[in-house]
Amino acid sequence: MTGSGPGRAPEHLAQVLGEGVAQGPLPQPYPFETLQPLDEGWVDIEGARSWYAVFGSSGPWLCFAPLFQIGTVNGLKSVVPYLADHFRVVAMDLPGTGRADRSTDPAAYGFDAYYARFCAVLDRLGIERVALVAISANTMLCLRLAAEQPERVTHLVVAGGYGESLLTDQAACEASQRALAQMRSDWLAHLDAFWSIVFTEPHSTKVYEDAVRHSLATDGRLVAMARQGWLGNDVRALAKRVRCPTLVIHGDDDHRVPHAKGEAVARLVPGARLLTIGGGGHLPMARDPVAFNMAVCTFLLEPPARRRWVRAMARKPRALFVSSAIGLGHVQRDLAIARELRRQRPELEVDWFTVDPAARYLADEGERLHPICARLANESRHVERESLAGEHDLHAFFALRTMDEVMARNFMVFAELVRSEHYDIVIGDEAWDVDYFYHENPEIKRQPFVFLTDFVGCLPMSDDPREQYLCADRNADDIEHVARYPWIRDRAIFVGNPDDLPEQAFGPGLPQIRDWTVRNFCFSGYVLPFDPATLADTEALRARHGYRRTDKLVIAAVGGTAVGRPLLSRIAAAFPRMKREMPGLRMVLVAGPRIASDAFEQHEGLEVRPYVHNLFEHLACSDLALVQGGLSTVMELVATRRRFLSFPLARHFEQCIHVRNRLRNYCADCSLDFSKLGPDELAEQALQAMDRPASYQPVETDGAARAAAHILGVMENRYWATSG
């Protein structure tokens, strides 16, 4: 890229972001997905506006100083949404980046102008007492403010910071000039070089990608001008006057600002503490958000005035069940496992950690959702947002990859809960956030952890080199985690059998999925939320749920998110053709809680329901089910021997590869390509399917008991007594 024009991306940048990357608008939503500002505005100094926002409604004030303009407030997405639970958090963009003006006036980019804008935001908000967080260059702003307005600053946290930016020798001057020239002439090359130095930690592709994408919303010439405003400053004398409690956080593998610079700040500020992150790079709030959040909260928050401790032998046995809220299949099988746990250990109390739609299902079943769940970000909303790019299309790998803000926020809430309350065990069904951050922060784990999943391995859905590289990188990170810290997962349970795993590699040079999983997991068989024998009386089921014995009943369902709306719309459009050929047809569309019931054209015999509790009972008495390719629903149909057609979401590696591989084992792969079926073709396929026999292999019925036995084995911890 030359200036702001198009150009070929550097090899590493193209590997992570793709060849077609170019300058463009800020990614949306901005700055955060899981948290909206309570207040926002602009301050105008030197004819250029800076943008600021306030997050969180209570607690002490906490202000992040404005970042060097190659970055944006979005770089704080893994920390601000959680910190806003405890503080009133202020963040801002300076001119040249984010939502601030793109001024071309050099006067907008001086150090004194940056400082004036910083103070102006605090004044605009009427903040009299504030804790400051400094990151990298803006440490100089915070040291100046803490020295010049000591009555205003209560605490100071410095991350990757320094107290001077003097160019004291010829080599430093020449290096700076080269960097500025590259910003102006080849912006993509500079971004690759800059962010590669910032994120030196292995498997940092996501934070690198985010940083580059947000930098591309501005121009290299503007950032070069902004950079000059940060150079040539020295606040070391002011640092010696700082009197507020100060915490310095610095990585000892920081290639952008050497660790010695952080040590110097800690020596200059009287009484400052130094937290060194071994192996850490330049931006711990992005790459190590859990450690950063915990360090900040421990440093800034007063301990509670009252707390309660219960003697060990007076504690009731308790389990915390973390259940993925994407769809309802996970929570239904999790509830079956929990009931089996309580059948074998009646004294065991189970708390649930999840959000809607799973939370609603649990409430209807009389289960206890922990109140702290009100603070969780919703995974389903994220998945819905990611599905908007295409019709019946969800690139599941990238939906998971872009869930990093959700995962960081939710893990912090989880960590707060297990620190404050006693649990004998944590059970996580596809609790990828807990599993990932436990491996990244193993010292946090305080009780046994059992991990469940029904798929292993993210798999590319195309020949795109970027997708293949990123999938392999994600898988390699997981494999390395388990190899280094096998004790994080006290037991890993695969919800299925070895043959359900695909016989392909995690990626180039990586193990085979099936072989690796057999070595690192135990197997429960499939877990059903019901006993198929109790649903065998179709007439009784129909009577219970208001269906006539003579109805030709078709039920269409797409789970608890809005992702399946295009499928339901096409099924509704196919209904008139089906009705003409089968006058006794009755069709029920289960839209779920996120799709409006009036979104479909009305027809006699077509009914739309927003929510059906225990949908599997309705499916079990249908003549045909039309469903997405989610594992839980199709396996329930196989277990009850119902005819069905499934329509896996395009580019959804789990539905298209993992689920279909499993269905073939049960002689039940009834999948169709949504993109190749108009309403008439869909109607024809559905009518034909109603006449086919359901010749499936039986589904095991003891999966919940087997999973519960594995979990209780971990709780009882008697392996040493029974080993040979």
Side-chain angles (χ1 to χ4, degrees), residues 451-474:
F451 179 70
L452 295 90
T453 184
D454 55 39
F455 80 93
V456 176
C458 295
L459 297 172
M461 291 296 297
S462 72
D463 294 330
D464 176 22
R466 174 184 179 237
E467 182 185 357
Q468 294 189 353
Y469 169 72
L470 294 177
C471 279
D473 181 68
R474 166 67 183 254

Side-chain angles (χ1 to χ4, degrees), residues 377-448:
N378 193 291
E379 299 167 335
S380 295
R381 290 194 184 97
H382 172 82
V383 170
E384 288 169 357
R385 184 178 289 114
E386 290 295 309
S387 73
L388 296 178
E391 188 177 55
H392 200 65
D393 182 1
L394 174 63
H395 206 311
F397 168 70
F398 286 106
L400 182 62
R401 177 175 169 80
T402 55
M403 206 183 290
D404 49 335
E405 179 185 330
V406 174
M407 291 174 67
R409 177 174 178 175
N410 288 355
F411 178 80
M412 288 306 308
V413 176
F414 165 84
E416 185 179 321
L417 171 58
V418 296
R419 268 200 324 272
S420 61
E421 296 189 29
H422 160 76
Y423 288 98
D424 292 271
I425 195 167
V426 171
I427 308 158
D429 187 351
E430 295 194 7
W432 300 107
D433 47 358
V434 174
D435 186 70
Y436 175 79
F437 285 115
Y438 261 176
H439 281 95
E440 289 282 288
N441 305 269
E443 67 281 356
I444 293 176
K445 185 187 170 199
R446 300 180 59 184
Q447 58 282 106

Side-chain angles (χ1 to χ4, degrees), residues 45 126 147 171 190 212 218 395 479-480 507 512 555 592 664 672 707:
I45 294 184
H190 182 77
V212 171
T218 187
H395 206 311
I479 291 167
E480 291 166 22
Q512 292 291 113
I555 296 182
R664 283 191 286 270
L672 295 176

Side-chain angles (χ1 to χ4, degrees), residues 24-33 72 74 77 98-99 209-218:
L26 282 170
Q28 296 297 321
Y30 181 86
F32 309 129
E33 174 185 348
T72 71
N74 178 263
K77 68 176 180 177
R99 292 190 63 190
E209 177 182 350
D210 289 342
V212 171
R213 289 196 187 281
H214 282 81
S215 297
L216 284 169
T218 187

Side-chain angles (χ1 to χ4, degrees), residues 200-202 249-254 259 274-282 284 287-288 291 440-441 443 485:
T200 55
E201 302 90 343
I249 305 172
H250 215 110
D252 64 9
D253 194 37
D254 187 339
H259 184 263
L274 175 62
L275 170 60
T276 296
I277 298 182
H282 185 51
R287 192 57 182 85
D288 293 299
E440 289 282 288
N441 305 269
E443 67 281 356
Y485 293 103

Side-chain angles (χ1 to χ4, degrees), residues 230-503:
W230 293 103
L231 295 174
N233 302 290
D234 188 349
V235 298
R236 288 176 293 182
L238 291 172
K240 296 177 182 179
R241 291 165 42 190
V242 173
R243 292 296 177 266
C244 66
T246 299
L247 172 64
V248 177
I249 305 172
H250 215 110
D252 64 9
D253 194 37
D254 187 339
H255 291 194
R256 179 69 186 169
V257 178
H259 184 263
K261 295 275 191 177
E263 289 182 315
V265 173
R267 285 194 302 270
L268 288 167
V269 177
R273 308 176 195 174
L274 175 62
L275 170 60
T276 296
I277 298 182
H282 185 51
L283 297 180
M285 83 289 182
R287 192 57 182 85
D288 293 299
V290 171
F292 183 89
N293 279 330
M294 289 187 167
V296 169
C297 289
T298 300
F299 183 61
L300 299 183
L301 291 176
E302 293 289 332
R306 295 184 179 185
R307 58 188 297 266
R308 186 170 184 260
W309 180 80
V310 180
R311 296 190 69 251
M313 298 307 292
R315 299 173 188 173
K316 295 180 179 179
R318 300 175 72 201
L320 181 66
F321 217 131
V322 184
S323 186
S324 172
I326 301 174
L328 292 176
H330 294 99
V331 74
Q332 287 178 329
R333 77 178 178 212
D334 294 342
L335 183 54
I337 294 170
R339 285 170 172 162
E340 187 63 31
L341 289 170
R342 288 187 293 225
R343 186 187 69 79
Q344 297 184 41
R345 288 279 298 272
E347 74 279 14
L348 180 66
E349 296 180 352
V350 178
D351 283 354
W352 293 90
F353 189 84
T354 190
V355 295
D356 283 336
R360 174 177 174 175
Y361 178 81
L362 290 167
D364 288 346
E365 291 290 323
E367 295 289 317
R368 181 182 186 271
L369 191 74
H370 196 284
I372 205 171
C373 295
R375 291 167 47 192
L376 294 174
N378 193 291
E379 299 167 335
S380 295
R381 290 194 184 97
H382 172 82
V383 170
E384 288 169 357
R385 184 178 289 114
E386 290 295 309
S387 73
L388 296 178
E391 188 177 55
H392 200 65
D393 182 1
L394 174 63
H395 206 311
F397 168 70
F398 286 106
L400 182 62
R401 177 175 169 80
T402 55
M403 206 183 290
D404 49 335
E405 179 185 330
V406 174
M407 291 174 67
R409 177 174 178 175
N410 288 355
F411 178 80
M412 288 306 308
V413 176
F414 165 84
E416 185 179 321
L417 171 58
V418 296
R419 268 200 324 272
S420 61
E421 296 189 29
H422 160 76
Y423 288 98
D424 292 271
I425 195 167
V426 171
I427 308 158
D429 187 351
E430 295 194 7
W432 300 107
D433 47 358
V434 174
D435 186 70
Y436 175 79
F437 285 115
Y438 261 176
H439 281 95
E440 289 282 288
N441 305 269
E443 67 281 356
I444 293 176
K445 185 187 170 199
R446 300 180 59 184
Q447 58 282 106
F449 173 56
V450 175
F451 179 70
L452 295 90
T453 184
D454 55 39
F455 80 93
V456 176
C458 295
L459 297 172
M461 291 296 297
S462 72
D463 294 330
D464 176 22
R466 174 184 179 237
E467 182 185 357
Q468 294 189 353
Y469 169 72
L470 294 177
C471 279
D473 181 68
R474 166 67 183 254
N475 291 334
D477 198 11
D478 290 344
I479 291 167
E480 291 166 22
H481 275 160
V482 172
R484 175 62 183 86
Y485 293 103
W487 52 267
I488 290 291
R489 299 174 177 177
D490 293 87
R491 186 61 63 93
I493 303 173
F494 183 77
V495 182
N497 303 296
D499 288 347
D500 296 327
L501 293 152
E503 289 190 286

